[in-house]
Amino acid sequence: MKEKAILYCEGQFGESDGKTANGLIRRSQKYQITCVIDSTKTGMDAGKVLEGFDNGIPIYRDLTEAMDQLTEVPKYFIYGIAPKDAILSIKERRIFLNAMSLGMDIVNGLHEFISEDAEFKQQAKKYRVKLYDIRKPLANRYLHLFTGDILNVKTPKIAILGTDCAVGKRTTAMKLITALKERGLRASFIGTGQTSLIQGEKYGIALDAIPSEFMTGELENAVVEANIHEKPDVIILEGQGALSHPAFISSCAIIRGGKPDGIIVQHPPRRINRVDFEYLPMPTLASEIELIERFSQSKVIAITINHDDMSENEVADTIKAYEQDYRLPTTDTLIHGCNKLVKAVLDAFPELKEKTTN
């Protein structure tokens, strides 16, 4: 049974830095989201903001309004923002302390670990609540080094990579998993960020919080474990950042530790500069595909589009142009679904066709 939770996303819901909250609204296996807190969208429906149709999850101005409107205090208060600096502001600290005083456990996906903060620890003890730091890794002695066991995983592995952060890689991965399962295939997902862990995915790690020496080994171990215990027909790897992004190395670890057999690349055609790095221009889709294929020694099998700032006609024209230019199936999964991606997977791995049910 899912536990009820409030989702805090002040000023960022539906935006790129609100991707944790956005992801939880779209999919949560662990929590029942009762409301979102974002004063800039007070009175709106969370589903309407994200998908264009109501899902019955209201957006409130602040925690006080949420408590006035809800019939009971949810068990969890989830921080749904993924900012560049990943540090709580003084205002946010006060909100956390207030939520604890109301008896809510705190779910935190930042690099700042509240379970190590003296004030938070004292407040948690006083009100008998728990503090969950999703990104906090185990001690090094419990982490995995690369072993090469990934070379023995014969199950097709597909990585959803991108040209930047916050382009919808996880959303595409989730939709593809669902589409593959609808075709009768056993599909396993390997999460690599805090959002997928908060969503309740069974296999994965917050890769950007792992010491670099263990990154490939931790990713490899997650894939091997999923392959052993789930016996999937196909494994989907969630991408992080971009291989070309100078600020992140997660994509390198995903490629090295996961050894993908095929890659899907997600790209926002209208984005000019990197998210949160306005001084860094976006790479071209062509340059990213070339870099990925050279580095991974694997092939890109499809392209997906993030349609931010694009009309449906522009999306349609871009899909047509990309398919002509790159000779790769291209789609926008939020608009057109995953039929093209499923076909691309089956074409790349024909042995899977025999396992489909329709």
Side-chain angles (χ1 to χ4, degrees), residues 245-351:
H245 204 306
F248 307 110
I249 61 171
S250 299
S251 289
C252 300
I254 292 166
I255 290 172
R256 286 174 170 163
K259 297 289 183 185
D261 304 294
I263 294 162
I264 295 170
V265 177
Q266 183 129 340
H267 178 63
R270 289 292 179 267
R271 192 175 294 180
I272 298 173
N273 298 309
R274 307 269 196 184
V275 166
D276 293 331
F277 295 85
E278 64 281 354
Y279 51 86
L280 293 176
M282 283 288 293
T284 65
L285 179 56
S287 68
E288 194 74 28
I289 289 175
E290 180 182 11
L291 178 63
I292 288 171
E293 291 188 337
R294 284 180 177 271
F295 187 82
S296 67
Q297 297 299 298
S298 187
K299 298 297 292 183
V300 172
I301 64 172
I303 297 168
T304 48
I305 289 174
N306 176 306
H307 62 237
D308 285 353
D309 301 320
M310 298 176 72
S311 68
E312 288 198 26
N313 286 338
E314 288 173 329
V315 170
D317 291 343
T318 300
I319 288 173
K320 183 178 179 181
Y322 283 0
E323 291 190 330
Q324 289 177 345
D325 293 343
Y326 298 100
R327 297 292 187 264
L328 289 169
T330 303
T331 193
D332 182 320
T333 59
L334 289 179
I335 296 176
H336 300 297
C338 285
N339 287 340
K340 283 187 180 180
L341 296 190
V342 172
K343 186 178 185 304
V345 170
L346 297 179
D347 288 344
F349 307 99
E351 67 274 17

Side-chain angles (χ1 to χ4, degrees), residues 178-185 339 342-343 346 355-358:
T178 299
L180 291 169
K181 288 181 177 179
E182 288 174 351
R183 295 293 298 272
L185 293 171
N339 287 340
V342 172
K343 186 178 185 304
L346 297 179
K355 300 179 181 182
T356 60
T357 56
N358 56 68

Side-chain angles (χ1 to χ4, degrees), residues 13-311:
F13 185 66
E15 307 296 329
S16 58
D17 279 357
K19 63 181 183 179
T20 296
N22 302 341
L24 283 165
I25 291 298
R26 289 189 170 110
R27 174 184 172 90
S28 178
Q29 301 185 92
K30 188 173 182 180
Y31 303 105
Q32 177 189 340
I33 306 301
T34 60
C35 67
V36 175
I37 293 177
D38 183 349
S39 64
T40 66
K41 296 179 176 65
T42 300
M44 300 180 72
D45 181 276
K48 187 74 171 179
V49 172
L50 282 185
E51 310 286 1
F53 54 85
D54 291 352
N55 64 4
I57 300 176
I59 303 177
Y60 294 130
R61 180 183 65 254
D62 53 27
L63 188 56
T64 299
E65 183 180 18
M67 290 298 97
D68 287 341
Q69 296 296 323
L70 298 175
T71 57
E72 62 180 297
V73 178
K75 180 173 176 55
Y76 294 97
F77 179 94
I78 303 174
Y79 187 80
I81 308 173
K84 174 185 173 184
D85 53 16
I87 301 296
L88 289 170
S89 66
I90 293 175
K91 179 182 178 181
E92 289 170 335
R93 288 182 64 88
R94 290 174 182 155
I95 293 170
F96 273 36
L97 292 170
N98 189 16
M100 282 188 264
S101 73
L102 294 169
M104 285 185 275
D105 296 345
I106 307 298
V107 179
N108 167 47
L110 296 174
H111 286 292
E112 179 182 7
F113 301 144
I114 60 175
S115 61
E116 298 176 355
D117 183 288
E119 184 178 22
F120 286 141
K121 287 167 66 176
Q122 182 180 32
Q123 187 85 339
K125 183 177 181 180
K126 178 179 179 180
Y127 292 102
R128 297 182 180 180
V129 297
K130 296 180 180 179
L131 307 175
Y132 296 96
D133 286 315
I134 303 302
R135 265 191 171 120
K136 188 175 182 179
L138 298 173
N140 286 0
R141 66 185 296 177
Y142 300 113
L143 298 178
H144 297 85
L145 290 167
F146 185 79
T147 63
D149 287 346
I150 193 69
L151 302 175
N152 298 320
V153 176
K154 305 306 179 185
T155 305
K157 304 176 297 298
I158 300 168
I160 314 296
L161 304 183
T163 54
D164 194 18
C165 305
V167 294
K169 296 183 287 289
R170 185 191 64 257
T171 299
T172 291
M174 293 288 95
K175 287 186 171 295
L176 178 56
I177 286 276
T178 299
L180 291 169
K181 288 181 177 179
E182 288 174 351
R183 295 293 298 272
L185 293 171
R186 296 190 305 273
S188 289
F189 175 70
I190 308 299
T192 57
Q194 76 278 9
T195 302
S196 60
L197 298 184
I198 297 174
Q199 286 176 315
E201 300 304 330
K202 191 173 181 180
Y203 297 95
I205 62 277
L207 202 57
D208 62 0
I210 301 293
S212 59
E213 183 177 7
F214 299 98
M215 291 177 76
T216 55
E218 281 292 293
L219 196 283
E220 175 192 48
N221 180 71
V223 175
V224 170
E225 288 292 305
N227 194 56
I228 291 172
H229 297 295
E230 304 300 321
K231 295 179 172 54
D233 299 310
V234 61
I235 297 172
I236 306 298
L237 311 177
E238 177 191 11
Q240 290 292 318
L243 187 58
S244 63
H245 204 306
F248 307 110
I249 61 171
S250 299
S251 289
C252 300
I254 292 166
I255 290 172
R256 286 174 170 163
K259 297 289 183 185
D261 304 294
I263 294 162
I264 295 170
V265 177
Q266 183 129 340
H267 178 63
R270 289 292 179 267
R271 192 175 294 180
I272 298 173
N273 298 309
R274 307 269 196 184
V275 166
D276 293 331
F277 295 85
E278 64 281 354
Y279 51 86
L280 293 176
M282 283 288 293
T284 65
L285 179 56
S287 68
E288 194 74 28
I289 289 175
E290 180 182 11
L291 178 63
I292 288 171
E293 291 188 337
R294 284 180 177 271
F295 187 82
S296 67
Q297 297 299 298
S298 187
K299 298 297 292 183
V300 172
I301 64 172
I303 297 168
T304 48
I305 289 174
N306 176 306
H307 62 237
D308 285 353
D309 301 320
M310 298 176 72
S311 68

